[in-house]
Amino acid sequence: EVQLVESGGGLVQPGRSLRLSCATSGFTFNDYAMHWVRQAPGKGLEWVSGISGNTDSIHYADSVKGRFTISRDNAKNSLYLRMNSLRAEDTALYYCAKDKKRGWDAFDVWGQGTMVTVSS
Amino acid sequence: DIVMTQSPDSLAVSLGERATINCKSSQSVLYNSNNKNYLAWYQQKPGQPPKLLIYWASTRESGVPDRFSGSGSGTDFILTISSLQAEDVAVYYCQQYYSTPLTFGGGTKVEIK
């Protein structure tokens, strides 16, 4: 069974940093692109960042470019999101999502999410 | 960036009746070399992560009931629930994966009338 489990969320002050992790199992991790998608309380879905299986292609939403860094450790079957200079508007539930195929594709598996709250 | 616009924002449909959700992209998401529309639909129930329903605009994901169907091409797409069931109450999102940044529509909330 394919599983994605996010961790690392919490309450953080504006301007501080946080690192999210997504532990995966049940599929050949390095074969698939992976993504982070967030959802502010009561709002819709916003794609944050994606990374290809071999890390040669990385993309970010404009809202996080220069502040967030996506990475992956294929040996550990894990995806990460380093978030710096956090703002109140970054408050959201952060989901890890798996691409359906090798390239940029629909997201066929999602984790349960980890909540990030940015507040003083 | 490709902007995805869904309509309506919400709709109430009687059990057993048809529900139709529209999604319009600000530019075509049809890739001419393979004739595929890079458009997906997701269902999100309260307290749950999104679930993939449809990809390539009209291909149903494994395990998704056949009352869900997707249609359209280019910039205009439709998700149809042919006979609404109580368990279909949710918010539905369209998404383009044609180009980065990947973008979602604002969502359509489906309720029972």
Side-chain angles (χ1 to χ4, degrees):
Chain A
E1 180 192 6
V2 175
Q3 285 196 318
L4 309 177
V5 180
E6 302 93 338
S7 61
L11 174 63
V12 61
Q13 293 179 329
R16 303 299 290 264
S17 300
L18 209 56
R19 188 201 196 204
L20 306 184
S21 299
C22 174
T24 77
S25 61
F27 65 104
T28 305
F29 183 66
N30 60 344
D31 276 354
Y32 296 90
M34 296 292 296
H35 303 266
W36 289 99
V37 177
R38 68 185 181 183
Q39 187 168 35
K43 301 298 184 183
L45 302 170
E46 180 188 16
W47 175 80
V48 173
S49 181
I51 183 170
S52 62
N54 62 4
T55 73
D56 66 349
S57 183
I58 292 176
H59 297 274
Y60 298 95
D62 287 345
S63 58
V64 307
K65 201 173 294 184
R67 300 188 299 123
F68 289 11
T69 302
I70 192 172
S71 62
R72 62 192 294 161
D73 186 333
N74 287 344
K76 295 183 178 179
N77 296 328
S78 293
L79 176 72
Y80 306 100
L81 185 69
R82 175 70 178 181
M83 303 185 296
N84 295 333
S85 303
L86 282 161
R87 306 167 179 167
E89 54 265 35
D90 296 318
T91 294
L93 184 62
Y94 284 74
Y95 293 106
C96 165
K98 169 188 166 291
D99 236 50
K100 188 170 174 61
K101 293 186 175 68
R102 288 173 180 260
W104 301 112
D105 211 303
F107 306 159
D108 64 343
V109 183
W110 298 63
Q112 291 295 315
T114 186
M115 187 67 200
V116 173
T117 303
V118 184
S119 175
S120 54
Chain B
D1 298 3
I2 299 177
V3 177
M4 307 300 292
T5 303
Q6 287 183 232
S7 62
D9 292 336
S10 64
L11 75 161
V13 176
S14 300
L15 288 172
E17 296 299 305
R18 178 184 300 261
T20 301
I21 300 169
N22 301 288
C23 175
K24 187 174 184 67
S25 58
S26 61
Q27 62 190 78
S28 176
V29 299
L30 174 62
Y31 194 40
N32 290 326
S33 66
N34 60 10
N35 201 37
K36 288 188 174 183
N37 288 282
Y38 284 55
L39 189 285
W41 289 97
Y42 299 87
Q43 174 194 63
Q44 188 178 32
K45 297 181 180 180
Q48 295 184 19
K51 173 188 173 184
L52 178 63
L53 296 177
I54 302 284
Y55 58 99
W56 299 135
S58 60
T59 301
R60 203 176 298 115
E61 175 72 337
S62 176
V64 172
D66 60 6
R67 64 180 180 273
F68 291 93
S69 64
S71 63
S73 184
T75 61
D76 293 279
F77 301 91
I78 296 172
L79 175 69
T80 301
I81 309 173
S82 60
S83 176
L84 191 74
Q85 304 300 304
E87 60 265 32
D88 300 334
V89 169
V91 178
Y92 294 83
Y93 296 92
C94 61
Q95 179 216 13
Q96 66 81 18
Y97 47 99
Y98 181 88
S99 66
T100 56
L102 309 183
T103 46
F104 291 88
T108 296
K109 187 175 185 179
V110 174
E111 299 171 308
I112 305 295
K113 183 187 294 182

